[in-house]
Amino acid sequence: NADLRLWLLATAQSMARNGDLLIPDAEWEPSNPKQELAVGCIGYLFLQYKVQFWWWELLEMVRKLVLAIAIPILVKDLSAQVTLGLFALLFFFSAFIWGRPYRNSFINFLQAYVHFVLLCTLYYGYVSSSCEGESGSCTLAAQGVVIFMQFAILLYPVLRSACIFFTRTSTTKTEGNVDDQSTSQSAST
């Protein structure tokens, strides 16, 4: 029975890679005793991810370790640090776009935006460090764009929630008005 299950799973995965078959995303099973124990102990680390990406938090920690510790310690030249940081961010951004590991599509979008802003910020740092001696090359407008993009990371979820709230509120009011109109038309006939 176990051999048949393994063969079936291997065949299905092979067919999925070839584009012949789609396997639906698995969900966390709270009824499974092993998963229940894992969720109880460290579920906050991996429950936001799709089951097949339970390990993604480890990759996020590696990204932070590389950018915050490894590159600054191992490389002394500032422009080389920024260049390596850009390549590392580009690699992690590409991996994120490939995987889209979060169960919630909004969080996938927001995290992709955060990666993009990190790339833009580091690129701006690279450009501004290379034009330190030149006056006027690095404008205040470019700084403003980078700051706005970073501020938008905090602002976007608030605006999105407000739009959803007001859309639901206006839909409820519109439905109420339709009900009131149909009730008044019924009463007049």
Side-chain angles (χ1 to χ4, degrees):
N1 191 16
D3 291 336
L4 177 63
R5 183 174 180 264
L6 289 174
W7 175 82
L8 241 130
L9 186 59
T11 304
Q13 287 174 342
S14 171
M15 291 174 76
R17 278 191 295 271
N18 295 335
D20 298 332
L21 175 72
L22 293 177
I23 300 175
D25 288 339
E27 292 292 326
W28 296 108
E29 296 177 27
S31 60
N32 183 328
K34 288 182 181 178
Q35 284 188 14
E36 186 178 2
L37 177 64
V39 167
C41 293
I42 56 170
Y44 63 92
L45 287 175
F46 61 82
L47 279 180
Q48 71 264 21
Y49 301 110
K50 297 174 187 171
V51 174
Q52 61 270 32
F53 291 105
W54 62 268
W55 48 268
W56 196 266
E57 187 65 27
L58 295 173
L59 187 65
E60 285 291 319
M61 292 299 118
V62 168
R63 176 182 64 87
K64 293 173 184 178
L65 178 73
V66 165
L67 292 173
I69 297 173
I71 291 176
I73 288 176
L74 297 176
V75 180
K76 299 301 178 198
D77 181 40
L78 180 62
S79 63
Q81 286 179 352
V82 173
T83 304
L84 283 174
L86 278 170
F87 283 123
L89 276 176
L90 191 58
F91 169 77
F92 287 111
F93 181 56
S94 300
F96 182 84
I97 295 299
W98 165 80
R100 294 182 308 276
Y102 290 98
R103 291 172 26 185
N104 184 316
S105 61
F106 171 68
I107 295 176
N108 275 323
F109 169 77
L110 194 59
Q111 187 67 15
Y113 178 73
V114 167
H115 277 9
F116 177 73
V117 170
L118 285 172
L119 271 168
C120 290
T121 303
L122 200 54
Y123 180 72
Y124 173 76
Y126 177 74
V127 169
S128 67
S129 70
S130 67
C131 66
E132 283 177 357
E134 305 169 17
S135 60
S137 296
C138 301
T139 65
L140 188 60
Q143 292 173 353
V145 168
V146 169
I147 290 170
F148 173 77
M149 289 172 66
Q150 292 174 351
F151 184 68
I153 293 171
L154 300 174
L155 190 62
Y156 182 76
V158 173
L159 290 175
R160 181 176 185 267
S161 298
C163 287
I164 290 171
F165 173 76
F166 288 120
T167 302
R168 287 182 183 163
T169 304
S170 67
T171 304
T172 306
K173 287 180 181 177
T174 305
E175 290 171 358
N177 290 343
V178 170
D179 290 341
D180 293 342
Q181 289 174 358
S182 62
T183 305
S184 63
Q185 287 176 357
S186 305
S188 64
T189 56

